[in-house]
């Protein structure tokens, strides 16, 4: 860079990675699909109120947004959403069907042919009518999808069923025009996948108190000439077997990903295709996630791995997988195929998520959409490494460590860096090792970050995932603390300047860590779970309303455990300063949880701040919100760790 390296204390290094830059690059392309020969996907627009648009890649390689503001392509099914769009080519161009976030109605749209027109009605009951995983059936004049229908005002007054919506708009004002494809049998269902001959449908289903990664059923039904499902029967899965995805091979064989061996592996009509101790599936947080897709040749495109994921082509005859060659070290759970082309979304520690195409015939992989462009000199990016730590009882803990890194600065001899331990959400999830400018925001200033895949995380098999059963608030807290203390014992981190941070379930782990350990000097708690009893008794949405039955234990049998584990019940044990961030429209972790916790903290003299954001739900999407939250977090660390006040960053006012 042509300049000598300067010496400044950790945490005070000037950096070109500011909060606005991190916010502008938040989010990723998702929900890829082929429309004719074209590739389409949804893309974030954080500077446009946090909406998601639909992007079209033309044959000449140019990208074009399909829907202008204020159209927002996003479903609220399960609150976490589901695949919100589908399209196919007609003789006059593409016909698009999508869910608009504001009213959750399905709309049909022909680019260049006027405004989108509604296909479904609005219901005044509870959360209304919601739709996900649309599949166009043009020969029937319908779109098949999942309907989530509220039957009352409570968050659990809801039913879900596969349905057919007429494309002529006749259901736009009449719910009775929506045709139900099968009787209501299960609490949760995925969208039906049709066999190549159109005579059978397959979908997944499960019921409370199970979550989809605990146990699901794979259901197959015959389709009669009028499009009704007949003779629905379970062909795989059960209470202790999770089927993550199902689809049909070109020859009519049924393919699915099951964890019956302890790992999500692929099966063809019940026979294993590639028995490995790695995952060919994952946690079904959103309807329509895809980890495999059959090609016309009989080969199968797969997203697979142990911890990190790769994009590859599986030969079902030999069980061999050939992975795409390229810089990508992580692929998201979205995948589409057309002919011998496979399209996915991949990233690496040096690049954000981009749309990647793999040619199954040549093995060539290339970026075809949303290409990564360095927003700053990549010399400022983190230089992470993955490692396995040892936790209590000698158990393995997987983590990604991002040491402080800035090419223009070093710390004085003998100084140890502050570190922030990041606990991911879920908690049945994991941290992908990819470029994240929020992490770079801290590491380029001299603050280290360690992302912990604590026990309960996915990507490492069912046994690792099950470590959190009835142990939430124990194993996750212990594992995060073990990583933090090991870094300090090794001389990589300053023992007196450790922080913990997380959102959603990670917010729970952060708050529980502050309440039950003395490891951390401060913490950042983002849209958290804080009161288990309230959350388990109608205080959250239907999808996760009985999640605690496995994470904590049956509420009817161990009610005291719910209070014992809740940070809100142990506010008097929190002595470290903290920042609490919350969206006021959050129905998953409602603001009342934060309010109860703050009431318990009142007058205790613990420095803290509470920032609540209008118009934000579970996960911040607006650029201005992300900027305010990130700058507030940095200011907290500066005050607690004794760092120089960051120039241009508003000082976070801490109350007592």
């Amino acid at each position: 860079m042509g300049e000598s390296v300067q010496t400044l204390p950790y945490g005070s290094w000037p950096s070109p990675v500011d909060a606005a830059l991190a916010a502008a690059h938040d989010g990723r392309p998702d929900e890829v699909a082929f429309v004719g020969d074209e590739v389409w996907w949804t893309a974030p627009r954080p500077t446009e109120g946090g909406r998601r648009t639909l992007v079209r890649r033309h044959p000449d390689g140019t990208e074009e947004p399909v829907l202008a503001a204020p159209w927002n392509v996003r479903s609220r099914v399960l609150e976490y959403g589901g695949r919100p769009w589908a399209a196919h080519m007609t003789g006059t161009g593409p016909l698009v069907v999508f869910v608009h976030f504001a009213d959750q109605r399905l709309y049909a749209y022909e680019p260049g042919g006027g405004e989108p027109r509604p296909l479904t009605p609005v219901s005044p009951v509870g959360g209304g009518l919601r739709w996900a995983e649309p599949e166009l059936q043009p020969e029937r004049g319908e779109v098949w999808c999942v309907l989530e229908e509220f039957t009352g005002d409570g968050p659990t007054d809801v039913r879900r069923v596969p349905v057919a919506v007429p494309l002529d708009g006749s259901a736009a004002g009449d719910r009775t025009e929506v045709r139900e494809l099968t009787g209501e049998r299960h609490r949760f269902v995925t969208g039906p996948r049709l066999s190549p001959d159109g005579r059978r449908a397959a979908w997944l289903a499960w019921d409370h108190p199970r979550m989809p990664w605990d146990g699901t059923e794979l259901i197959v039904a015959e389709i009669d000439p009028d499009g009704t499902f007949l003779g629905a029967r379970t062909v795989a899965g059960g209470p202790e077997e999770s089927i993550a995805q199902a689809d049909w091979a070109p020859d009519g064989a049924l393919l699915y990903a099951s964890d019956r061996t302890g790992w999500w592996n692929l099966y063809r009509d019940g026979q294993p295709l590639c028995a490995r101790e790695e995952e060919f599936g994952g946690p079904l947080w959103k309807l329509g996630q895809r980890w495999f897709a059959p090609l016309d040749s009989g080969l199968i495109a797969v997203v697979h791995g142990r911890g990190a994921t790769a994009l590859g082509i599986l030969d079902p005859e030999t069980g061999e997988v050939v992975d795409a060659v390229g810089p990508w070290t992580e692929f998201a759970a979205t995948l589409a195929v057309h002919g011998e082309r496979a399209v996915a979304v991949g990233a690496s520690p040096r690049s954000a998520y981009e749309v990647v195409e793999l040619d199954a015939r040549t093995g060539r992989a290339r970026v075809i959409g949303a290409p990564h462009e360095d927003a700053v000199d990549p010399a400022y990016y983190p230089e992470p490494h993955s490692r396995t730590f040892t936790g209590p009882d000698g158990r393995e803990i997987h983590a990604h460590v991002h040491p402080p890194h800035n090419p223009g600065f070093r710390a004085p001899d003998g100084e140890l860096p502050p570190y922030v331990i990041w606990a991911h959400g879920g908690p049945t999830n994991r941290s992908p090792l990819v470029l994240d400018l929020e992490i770079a925001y801290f590491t380029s200033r001299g603050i280290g970050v360690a992302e912990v895949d604590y026990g309960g995380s996915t990507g490492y098999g069912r046994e690792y995932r099950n470590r959190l059963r009835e142990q939430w608030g124990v194993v996750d807290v212990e594992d995060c603390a073990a990583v933090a203390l090991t870094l300090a014992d090794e001389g990589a981190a300053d023992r007196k300047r450790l922080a913990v941070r997380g959102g959603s379930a990670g917010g729970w782990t952060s708050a529980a860590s502050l309440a039950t350990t003395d490891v951390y000097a401060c913490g950042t708690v983002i849209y958290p779970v804080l009161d288990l009893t309230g959350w388990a008794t109608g205080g959250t949405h239907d999808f996760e309303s009985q999640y605690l039955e496995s994470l904590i234990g049956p509420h009817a049998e161990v009610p005291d455990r719910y209070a014992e584990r809740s940070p809100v019940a142990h506010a008097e044990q929190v002595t470290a300063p903290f920042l609490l961030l919350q969206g006021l429209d959050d129905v998953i972790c409602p603001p009342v949880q934060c309010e109860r916790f703050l009431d318990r903290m009142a007058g205790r003299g613990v420095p803290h701040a509470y920032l609540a954001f209008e118009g934000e739900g579970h996960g911040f999407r607006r650029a201005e919100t992300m900027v305010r939250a990130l700058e507030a977090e940095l200011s907290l660390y500066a005050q607690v760790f004794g760092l120089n006040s960051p120039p241009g960053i508003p000082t976070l006012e801490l109350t007592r």
Side-chain angles (χ1 to χ4, degrees):
M1 298 180 61
E3 299 179 3
S4 60
V5 176
Q6 301 178 52
T7 300
L8 282 177
Y10 285 117
S12 62
W13 300 343
S15 170
V17 184
D18 61 19
L21 188 71
H25 290 79
D26 188 74
R28 71 183 188 210
D30 203 354
E31 289 132 356
V32 297
F34 282 93
V35 182
D37 290 330
E38 298 179 0
V39 178
W40 294 29
W41 61 88
T42 60
R45 293 291 186 264
T47 59
E48 298 178 20
R51 77 182 185 100
R52 289 192 72 86
T53 190
L54 193 56
V55 174
R56 173 184 188 181
R57 182 185 185 271
H58 291 281
D60 63 2
T62 58
E63 297 178 17
E64 176 191 13
V66 177
L67 291 156
W71 297 105
N72 188 354
V73 185
R74 183 178 157 212
S75 170
R76 283 188 61 184
V77 167
L78 305 186
E79 294 301 344
Y80 290 108
R83 185 177 181 83
W85 75 277
H88 80 113
M89 284 292 183
T90 71
T92 58
L95 170 64
V96 186
V97 172
F98 70 95
V99 178
H100 178 45
F101 182 74
D103 59 15
Q104 287 299 290
R105 300 174 83 182
L106 268 179
Y107 287 81
Y109 177 56
E110 297 177 54
E115 286 294 296
R117 54 184 177 86
L119 297 180
T120 57
V122 173
S123 169
V125 180
L129 303 173
R130 302 173 180 180
W131 318 84
E133 284 199 86
E135 291 286 340
L136 282 158
Q137 305 291 328
E139 69 285 350
R140 296 182 182 273
E142 296 176 329
V143 54
W144 290 9
C145 55
V146 172
L147 164 63
E148 181 177 79
E149 180 174 25
F150 282 79
T151 58
D153 293 332
T156 60
D157 297 332
V158 63
R159 62 191 293 268
R160 299 173 186 89
V161 64
V163 297
V165 176
L167 286 169
D168 62 8
S170 57
D174 187 355
R175 163 66 180 86
T176 63
E177 291 296 315
V178 175
R179 185 170 63 87
E180 299 192 6
L181 296 170
T182 186
E184 182 182 351
R185 298 180 52 192
H186 294 277
R187 189 74 171 191
F188 303 95
V189 295
T190 64
R193 303 291 297 178
L194 269 64
S195 61
D197 62 9
R199 295 180 178 179
R200 290 176 294 166
W203 67 96
L204 306 180
W206 67 98
D207 294 287
H208 284 320
R210 297 193 305 275
M211 299 299 287
W213 42 86
D214 296 324
T216 57
E217 296 177 26
L218 172 55
I219 299 174
V220 172
E222 306 300 318
I223 304 176
D224 74 1
D226 71 359
T228 301
F229 294 177
L230 301 174
R233 62 196 185 280
T234 298
V235 298
E240 297 296 327
E241 179 184 356
S242 170
I243 311 291
Q245 182 196 333
D247 209 336
W248 301 91
D251 63 0
L254 184 58
L255 304 172
Y256 57 90
S258 165
D259 74 345
R260 62 182 57 160
T261 65
W263 298 86
W264 274 302
N265 280 187
L266 284 185
Y267 294 81
R268 174 187 165 96
D269 287 337
Q271 298 301 310
L273 293 181
C274 183
R276 297 186 182 186
E277 289 191 347
E278 61 177 79
E279 310 283 31
F280 289 77
L284 194 65
W285 280 102
K286 298 197 304 179
L287 300 186
Q289 290 178 288
R290 299 192 78 187
W291 293 269
F292 71 87
L295 296 156
D296 290 345
S297 63
L299 301 175
I300 305 171
V302 292
V303 171
H304 70 107
R306 184 168 182 159
T309 52
L311 171 64
I313 301 296
L314 166 65
D315 184 339
E317 297 297 326
T318 64
E320 180 184 8
V321 180
V322 178
D323 289 335
V325 176
W328 314 285
T329 56
E330 185 74 37
F331 282 86
T334 182
L335 187 60
V337 295
H338 178 62
E340 297 306 306
R341 300 160 63 196
V343 173
V345 175
S348 79
R350 309 296 292 177
S351 60
Y353 284 99
E354 47 197 1
V355 181
V356 177
E357 180 183 80
L358 173 61
D359 188 323
R361 294 168 299 182
T362 65
R364 182 188 175 212
R366 61 185 181 124
V367 175
I368 63 165
H372 170 76
E373 295 180 1
D374 290 319
V376 296
D377 188 330
Y380 291 95
Y381 293 164
E383 295 186 346
H385 57 277
S386 298
R387 57 177 290 191
T388 301
F389 292 80
T390 301
D393 302 322
R395 64 177 181 253
E396 291 185 345
I397 307 168
H398 302 286
H400 309 312
V401 180
H402 307 254
H405 175 72
N406 186 311
F409 296 90
R410 63 182 299 274
D413 291 341
E415 183 185 0
L416 296 177
Y419 254 85
V420 184
I421 304 301
W422 282 29
H424 63 69
T428 309
N429 214 327
R430 65 181 177 86
S431 300
L433 185 60
V434 300
L435 177 62
D436 185 338
L437 291 185
E438 282 198 4
I439 293 177
Y441 181 77
F442 295 106
T443 58
S444 62
R445 287 171 166 76
I447 300 173
V449 171
E451 300 178 284
V452 182
D453 281 350
Y454 47 81
S457 300
T458 53
Y460 309 99
R462 187 168 187 128
E463 182 179 351
Y464 195 89
R465 201 163 77 236
N466 283 348
R467 286 184 189 175
L468 213 56
R469 284 204 169 188
E470 300 196 9
Q471 295 298 310
W472 196 35
V474 178
V475 165
D476 50 324
V477 170
E478 291 177 347
D479 286 1
C480 286
V483 171
L485 294 175
T486 299
L487 290 172
D489 291 344
E490 293 173 348
D494 187 338
R495 174 66 183 85
K496 296 180 179 180
R497 295 192 294 176
L498 298 172
V500 63
R501 180 249 216 208
S504 188
W508 154 272
T509 300
S510 299
S513 296
L514 295 177
T516 60
T517 78
D518 62 357
V519 173
Y520 307 101
C522 62
T524 301
V525 181
I526 309 170
Y527 36 85
V529 179
L530 296 171
D531 178 5
L532 294 180
T533 301
W535 211 66
T537 55
T540 189
H541 63 137
D542 185 58
F543 177 54
E544 293 180 278
S545 62
Q546 296 187 36
Y547 194 4
L548 300 182
E549 295 286 298
S550 60
L551 289 175
I552 303 298
H555 185 260
E557 299 175 16
V558 291
D560 292 346
R561 188 184 296 167
Y562 282 64
E564 292 166 1
R565 299 265 182 92
S566 295
V568 73
H570 300 286
E572 73 282 355
Q573 296 175 214
V574 177
T575 59
F578 64 89
L579 168 63
L580 192 55
L581 301 169
Q582 178 68 44
L584 291 177
D585 292 346
D586 193 341
V587 297
I588 297 173
C589 295
V592 67
Q593 295 249 328
C594 292
E595 293 161 7
R596 290 172 187 159
F597 184 73
L598 292 171
D599 286 345
R600 297 288 186 95
M601 295 298 303
R604 294 198 51 252
V606 177
H608 66 276
Y610 177 48
L611 301 182
F613 300 98
E614 294 277 359
E616 292 283 12
H618 198 69
F620 301 151
R621 295 175 180 271
R622 298 178 177 179
E624 59 270 26
T625 301
M626 291 184 276
V627 168
R628 179 72 180 103
L630 206 53
E631 290 182 342
E633 186 177 353
L634 179 60
S635 179
L636 172 72
Y637 302 150
Q639 294 179 59
V640 174
F641 293 157
L643 311 177
N644 296 335
S645 181
I649 304 298
T651 299
L652 177 68
E653 183 177 347
L654 297 174
T655 59
R656 294 178 181 270

